[in-house]
Amino acid sequence: MLRKLLVGLWMLLLCIAISALFWKNEFKYSLPTPIPKNYHEIAMGSKIDLKCCITDSRPIFIHFFNPDCPCSRFNIPHVSGLIKKYGDRINFKIVVLNKERDFSIEEIQKKFDAKIPVYFDNEIAKICGVFSTPQAVIIDGSRNLYYRGNYNKTRYCTNADSNYAQMAIDSLLKQTKTPSFDALALRAYGCSLPKCTK
């Protein structure tokens, strides 16, 4: 009888541990990121003033990234692919949002295998209305907010039918009307700011 009780307690403890790991590593990132109390929404089409990032008249793509956020780490290959595919037509930038550790520009560029500008300025997120990582922001040639949202409905960026950021790039480059996206594209998922943890 005592042996059955110990086995039962061990199994219960194991189930609790597995559930906790699943919550910490997977499920909580499938929930929308809580909107901060002091959040000021920036509407699509708003003029975005980024004096620091403008080098020419091409559209700007800003990848908001936190190396400590699991969701950000999972989409590095996808973002690298976008940079390689569209880098000649779009100004790619990376904004690192992490208050816990210091990273060098070279470290970040090496992660993405790309020599693109890297910024460590939280103010850029505020200007663009970003409050979680990873997030994509596209600013058109007139410096208006064209897209702000997720890369994909899966944090692994494995569903080609929901490559939202890529669809927005294609739409902008073809100069068609802004595509309409579902809530999964525009509602922030991932790691919260300012510490980019949940």
Side-chain angles (χ1 to χ4, degrees):
M1 182 68 178
L2 181 62
R3 185 175 180 162
K4 286 183 180 180
L5 181 64
L6 288 174
V7 169
L9 285 173
W10 174 250
M11 294 299 284
L12 179 64
L13 183 64
L14 193 59
C15 286
I16 290 170
I18 290 170
S19 298
L21 282 171
F22 178 72
W23 168 259
K24 183 178 183 209
N25 294 308
E26 187 68 35
F27 185 70
K28 74 176 180 177
Y29 296 111
S30 68
L31 301 174
T33 304
I35 298 171
K37 291 177 186 168
N38 61 347
Y39 176 67
H40 176 70
E41 186 171 347
I42 308 298
M44 293 295 179
S46 297
K47 189 67 84 178
I48 303 294
D49 184 19
L50 292 176
K51 295 180 180 96
C52 66
C53 304
I54 298 172
T55 54
D56 59 39
S57 61
R58 291 182 296 165
I60 297 171
F61 184 106
I62 305 173
H63 173 53
F64 290 90
F65 175 68
N66 175 6
D68 291 337
C69 172
C71 300
S72 284
R73 288 194 305 264
F74 288 132
N75 86 344
I76 288 173
H78 181 67
V79 175
S80 295
L82 293 177
I83 293 168
K84 285 177 179 58
K85 183 173 182 177
Y86 299 101
D88 60 332
R89 295 174 281 168
I90 303 274
N91 267 323
F92 282 89
K93 320 284 184 190
I94 296 174
V95 175
V96 178
L97 301 170
N98 186 302
K99 292 187 174 187
E100 301 297 312
R101 297 191 302 152
D102 290 329
F103 296 91
S104 71
I105 291 172
E106 292 77 23
E107 280 179 281
I108 303 302
Q109 289 174 335
K110 186 175 180 182
K111 286 180 186 299
F112 291 90
D113 190 28
K115 293 281 186 192
I116 62 172
V118 176
Y119 302 90
F120 299 90
D121 185 354
N122 292 355
E123 197 62 26
I124 296 172
K126 187 176 179 182
I127 291 168
C128 295
V130 170
F131 59 89
S132 72
T133 60
Q135 285 284 285
V137 165
I138 300 174
I139 300 167
D140 67 19
S142 301
R143 302 305 171 233
N144 297 316
L145 181 61
Y146 186 81
Y147 176 80
R148 177 189 55 240
N150 299 311
Y151 287 88
N152 199 292
K153 70 178 178 183
T154 70
R155 72 178 181 156
Y156 304 101
C157 296
T158 54
N159 187 339
D161 294 334
S162 65
N163 279 339
Y164 303 124
Q166 184 172 355
M167 291 174 189
I169 290 172
D170 288 338
S171 173
L172 177 63
L173 292 176
K174 291 175 185 169
Q175 297 183 342
T176 58
K177 65 178 185 163
T178 307
S180 59
F181 292 112
D182 59 27
L184 289 174
L186 305 176
R187 190 180 307 138
Y189 290 84
C191 302
S192 300
L193 299 181
K195 292 184 179 178
C196 286
T197 57
K198 237 180 184 182

